[in-house]
Amino acid sequence: MKRIIISMAALFTIHAASSQVWFTRNGSISFFSHTGVEDIKAANNEAVSFLDASKGEFRFQVLIKGFVFPKASMQEHFNGDQYMESDKFPKGEFKGVIANRSAIDFKKDGVYKVDVEGDLTMHGITKKVKVPGTITIKNGTPLANAVFMVNRTDFGITVPSFTAAKIAEQIEVTVNCSYEPYKG
């Protein structure tokens, strides 16, 4: 986790002096898979994220092994060779921008609808995505929230035929981050 924070911090150190950069290492990313056979959910509360308010840039990184499941066996299978292959692909990452950056007044409390566009990388595959969300400014501090769907096969995540009925093709992803000023 420390390497992720250091590498992401290096990306934003140049911008910190001239813009308002926000940071969290406790972002929450969760996912939910619903089928008629089984519901599967997991959460990771150690996502690292930076938000450069002046440029509208977002960066997220999360360690795949950091997702916690209700059952240990689910977590073991998720990280194994037949699903996420976490030893081979240890992190997920998003790099993008707020497409409608001008709609947000980072100096004024309120809830702002945003569209975030960028590159989502999971399981060694990068795809362009556009995600609706909200930026809430509360007491001058941003909070980011989004709920969106990810097609697991778009990222080469396959499942064995004997468990295919238990795992949805479309996975709901929820992101919640509360930021603090970055002090590079």
Side-chain angles (χ1 to χ4, degrees):
M1 179 60 83
K2 191 171 185 172
R3 270 188 285 161
I4 288 176
I5 293 170
I6 291 169
S7 65
M8 288 186 68
L11 293 172
F12 281 149
T13 300
I14 297 167
H15 303 297
S18 63
S19 64
Q20 183 63 57
V21 177
W22 300 88
F23 167 79
T24 186
R25 72 178 83 217
N26 300 313
S28 172
I29 298 179
S30 61
F31 67 84
F32 178 71
S33 164
H34 171 74
T35 67
V37 177
E38 185 171 28
D39 288 342
I40 300 171
K41 59 184 174 180
N44 184 324
N45 295 317
E46 297 179 344
V48 175
S49 178
F50 284 89
L51 166 59
D52 183 330
S54 68
K55 296 180 183 227
E57 294 177 342
F58 264 116
R59 299 281 193 269
F60 291 89
Q61 281 190 348
V62 63
L63 292 175
I64 300 302
K65 286 187 178 182
F67 282 95
V68 178
F69 291 75
K71 298 177 185 173
S73 61
M74 287 180 168
Q75 193 160 334
E76 183 179 327
H77 291 149
F78 173 79
N79 287 301
D81 291 341
Q82 294 184 346
Y83 298 96
M84 290 300 288
E85 302 177 274
S86 299
D87 288 335
K88 187 175 179 181
F89 308 108
K91 65 184 176 184
E93 183 173 54
F94 174 80
K95 297 177 186 176
V97 297
I98 302 168
N100 57 333
R101 161 63 190 95
S102 61
I104 306 165
D105 185 346
F106 281 91
K107 295 178 181 163
K108 182 179 177 186
D109 284 5
V111 178
Y112 303 91
K113 292 185 185 236
V114 296
D115 290 313
V116 179
E117 298 175 343
D119 295 326
L120 177 61
T121 303
M122 287 191 309
H123 203 243
I125 296 174
T126 301
K127 295 283 185 180
K128 296 266 184 217
V129 296
K130 183 175 182 179
V131 175
T134 59
I135 299 286
T136 301
I137 307 299
K138 184 175 180 181
N139 299 322
T141 302
L143 296 94
N145 304 90
V147 177
F148 58 98
M149 301 302 285
V150 172
N151 185 330
R152 65 175 170 76
T153 59
D154 286 350
F155 293 91
I157 302 167
T158 59
V159 297
S161 59
F162 63 89
T163 60
K166 295 181 177 184
I167 301 170
E169 190 167 319
Q170 294 286 320
I171 308 296
E172 181 183 84
V173 177
T174 302
V175 177
N176 292 299
C177 290
S178 179
Y179 293 90
E180 60 188 53
Y182 176 67
K183 297 171 178 82

